[in-house]
Amino acid sequence: MWAMVLKALRSPLEYTQLPDPIPDPGQIRVRVTACGVCRTDLHVVDGELSEPHLPIVPGHEIVGRIDALGAGVEGLRLGERVGIPWLGHTCGVCSYCQTDHENLCDAPTFTGYTRNGGYATAALADARYVFPLGEDGDDVALAPLLCAGLIGWRSLTMAGEGKRLGLYGFGAAAHIIAQVALWQGRKVFAFARPGDLASQAFARQLGATWAGDSMEQPPEPPDAAILFAPVGALVPQALKVVRKGGRVVCAGIHMSDIPAFPYSLLWEERQLVSVANLTRKDGLDFLALAPKIGIRTETTIYPLGDANQALADLRAGRFDGAAVLIP
């Protein structure tokens, strides 16, 4: 197999030939057909997440076909198309796992961070943590749903049922969840980085009621806002924008430091919460709903060997929607 391997933090990935991995009991091997490029991959490569298992193959928005089954695997078959997400394994015994909060497990493993991921031609996965994808839809279009979509869905759920939703950072996750929110009958207000007129136009094209600069006030105060941009300075800005009793949801795994802000921004029962990882139920719920909504993912395709360029383009905001690697 071939893989793009991170051998040292803050260094380019290296195109490397590796032995084909052999699945242990309970595992499957997947021949990767598409892998989304997520901002979390940037955080891993840039050393902003401090404990990757180096050397590591990044990537956790994986679509592929099962080509090997480990002993004891049930309910999956050779040739079946599956998705491999960020959450790779949980302990099953800690208090969080025992109370339906496996996203907060005390001893998890994460695809592309603490176990090898999908910037490769093949990947291993715990069979209990993959999602059957059926045969409808294109592999490239499905890949961003496996993190941008799933984390976006969990964030949207935590945002509550308010009819006006603000989205800060109109990238892969926001362009998916905007479509979900619109399908639910909500108004979407899209906030892009200052001067990013292309993202604002993209948001309007998808149906946003309003799109503007992240420092601007929308025409109405949102009931909730989701921050997909990993910029701590947006937290007080979003608290300033949402209505009384509104909620601000921080959706990223990493964010720059939040600056000090006056208590008055939090007062009047505004809430500030974060989202961590996902549960398998999140995945099953969202992937069952996505075909009914008719979500259309905007994707830019890169060959596997151009993963470094894809990451650079993501960092610079050079494309709308999501980047996807194909072998």
Side-chain angles (χ1 to χ4, degrees):
M1 63 173 276
W2 289 91
M4 295 296 289
V5 182
L6 179 67
K7 297 182 179 179
L9 297 178
R10 294 172 290 279
S11 66
L13 307 180
E14 297 182 24
Y15 194 54
T16 306
Q17 188 171 23
L18 301 171
D20 280 344
I22 305 300
D24 289 333
Q27 293 184 332
I28 61 170
R29 185 176 68 205
V30 168
R31 288 294 167 185
V32 177
T33 55
C35 184
V37 179
C38 179
R39 186 161 293 276
T40 300
D41 302 333
L42 269 183
H43 296 320
V44 172
V45 171
D46 291 346
E48 293 167 333
L49 301 182
S50 60
E51 298 177 0
H53 289 187
L54 298 179
I56 191 73
V57 179
H60 56 273
E61 297 179 327
I62 306 168
V63 177
R65 301 268 175 183
I66 299 173
D67 78 339
L69 297 168
V73 172
E74 298 179 352
L76 297 171
R77 66 183 188 281
L78 293 175
E80 184 173 2
R81 185 170 67 165
V82 296
I84 304 174
W86 169 251
L87 187 66
H89 177 80
T90 56
C91 72
V93 297
C94 70
S95 61
Y96 298 106
C97 287
Q98 292 292 310
T99 54
D100 298 324
H101 293 92
E102 66 181 7
N103 60 306
L104 302 177
C105 174
D106 284 333
T109 60
F110 298 116
T111 309
Y113 179 44
T114 59
R115 63 189 301 166
N116 281 336
Y119 287 16
T121 56
L124 293 181
D126 186 322
R128 298 169 299 172
Y129 292 79
V130 303
F131 300 117
L133 295 178
E135 295 300 324
D136 293 335
D138 175 74
D139 293 355
V140 168
L142 288 171
L145 300 183
L146 290 161
C147 185
L150 293 183
I151 290 298
W153 171 250
R154 186 171 181 86
S155 302
L156 182 62
T157 301
M158 292 186 69
E161 298 180 355
K163 293 300 183 182
R164 298 185 302 273
L165 180 70
L167 300 176
Y168 284 80
F170 207 82
H175 98 286
I176 293 170
I177 292 309
Q179 295 175 64
V180 179
L182 291 165
W183 179 80
Q184 293 174 333
R186 309 189 197 211
K187 290 182 179 180
V188 171
F189 303 136
F191 298 84
R193 71 180 98 188
D196 189 354
L197 300 181
S199 290
Q200 293 177 29
F202 181 44
R204 294 189 197 98
Q205 176 189 331
L206 288 176
T209 298
W210 175 89
D213 189 303
S214 58
M215 294 293 112
E216 291 183 328
Q217 295 281 342
E220 302 173 79
D223 299 299
I226 303 174
L227 273 58
F228 292 114
V231 181
L234 290 176
V235 170
Q237 178 63 24
L239 286 169
K240 184 189 300 183
V241 164
V242 297
R243 65 165 174 81
K244 300 175 186 178
R247 181 176 295 179
V248 173
V249 180
C250 300
I253 192 172
H254 171 83
M255 179 178 279
S256 60
D257 288 348
I258 300 170
F261 59 87
Y263 176 66
S264 60
L265 294 182
L266 189 62
W267 189 59
E268 296 175 318
E269 299 191 353
R270 293 177 181 88
Q271 301 173 49
L272 177 63
V273 298
S274 70
V275 170
N277 312 314
L278 69 144
T279 68
R280 283 172 284 180
K281 185 179 185 302
D282 294 328
L284 293 172
D285 289 347
F286 176 68
L287 292 172
L289 186 63
K292 299 176 184 177
I293 298 172
I295 291 172
R296 177 178 61 84
T297 53
E298 183 78 14
T299 56
T300 300
I301 297 174
Y302 295 79
L304 175 62
D306 288 347
N308 290 310
Q309 185 62 54
L311 288 167
D313 290 348
L314 172 60
R315 184 183 287 107
R318 296 191 184 108
F319 52 78
D320 290 326
V324 179
L325 303 177
I326 58 171

